[in-house]
Amino acid sequence: MKTLKLAALGPVLALLAACVTAPEPAHPQDAFLARLNALCGQRFEGRVVTEDPADADFRASRLVMHVRDCSAGEVGIPFAVGEDRSRRWIVTRTDDGLRLKHDHRDEQGVIHGYHMYGGDTAGAGTAARQEFPVDRESIDQFVAGGAQVSTTNVWAMEVHPGRMFAYELRRPGGRFLRVEFDLTRPV
């Protein structure tokens, strides 16, 4: 009789074990990158939730992110604004934290405008949110291109599993852009 009970219990235990998810890594930046990797292969539609007039074109366009090019140390996320597919965010694990770079290329893969600008995290952040202050290389690029206004940029990303991904651009005392993507409805 015990053998029969144990045999019946086996499939139930196997089902319960399948429902258990692996715990997030202990370090917030590793956990953040793991959350990005969990979205790999999926596309999500977003919308601008801020009111800055400079972002009218973004507000009027279909915004789609595609999480792909995933590995334990890096995630590439193409970001389409309407038909413009020249943007890709790259989040990389470094020895000191995380790095966000903006890769801009036209349809033929030729560099398009400012390229590989971004920054590194200045602190540990959280599993849900990481901030990337502009780095020296990007400041030099912006100054050389006449975009001094961008030399104080701080970008941020948030991942709230099963709910929302956000991308932000802030300038202290200036522009604020926030795009939120609905993770409940892959497209």
Side-chain angles (χ1 to χ4, degrees):
M1 188 65 148
K2 283 185 179 179
T3 305
L4 185 58
K5 286 181 183 178
L6 288 176
L9 191 56
V12 172
L13 291 175
L15 184 60
L16 287 173
C19 294
V20 174
T21 58
E24 283 190 332
H27 193 280
Q29 292 168 337
D30 293 332
F32 181 84
L33 203 54
R35 286 180 177 198
L36 281 180
N37 267 299
L39 301 174
C40 201
Q42 298 180 72
R43 297 172 195 253
F44 303 97
E45 194 162 353
R47 65 185 182 86
V48 176
V49 297
T50 48
E51 298 296 325
D52 193 315
D55 303 317
D57 289 345
F58 274 40
R59 253 189 305 288
S61 299
R62 183 174 187 227
L63 307 176
V64 177
M65 64 178 265
H66 180 192
V67 184
R68 65 174 205 203
D69 307 323
C70 303
S71 71
E74 185 172 282
V75 177
I77 306 170
F79 172 48
V81 179
E83 296 302 313
D84 182 350
R85 290 169 170 52
S86 66
R87 297 167 178 86
R88 183 168 80 113
W89 302 313
I90 303 168
V91 179
T92 306
R93 185 67 161 113
T94 67
D95 290 341
D96 300 321
L98 294 176
R99 174 173 293 142
L100 169 65
K101 290 293 183 172
H102 297 74
D103 180 3
H104 287 250
R105 299 173 188 263
D106 67 16
E107 292 177 12
Q108 288 74 41
V110 176
I111 292 172
H112 174 67
Y114 295 102
H115 178 68
M116 295 309 280
Y117 61 87
D120 294 338
T121 54
T126 69
R129 182 179 172 87
Q130 294 290 320
E131 294 185 356
F132 307 88
V134 66
D135 61 23
R136 180 81 250 162
E137 178 182 303
S138 301
I139 290 171
D140 293 345
Q141 185 181 161
F142 292 141
V143 169
Q148 284 82 351
V149 69
S150 297
T151 61
T152 59
N153 284 359
V154 177
W155 296 275
M157 289 184 165
E158 293 179 21
V159 183
H160 302 278
R163 208 180 86 219
M164 183 264 296
F165 171 92
Y167 168 86
E168 286 182 7
L169 162 63
R170 278 187 186 270
R171 293 187 184 125
R175 186 171 179 201
F176 176 40
L177 165 69
R178 181 175 170 97
V179 181
E180 294 182 356
F181 296 84
D182 182 357
L183 299 183
T184 66
R185 296 177 36 203
V187 294

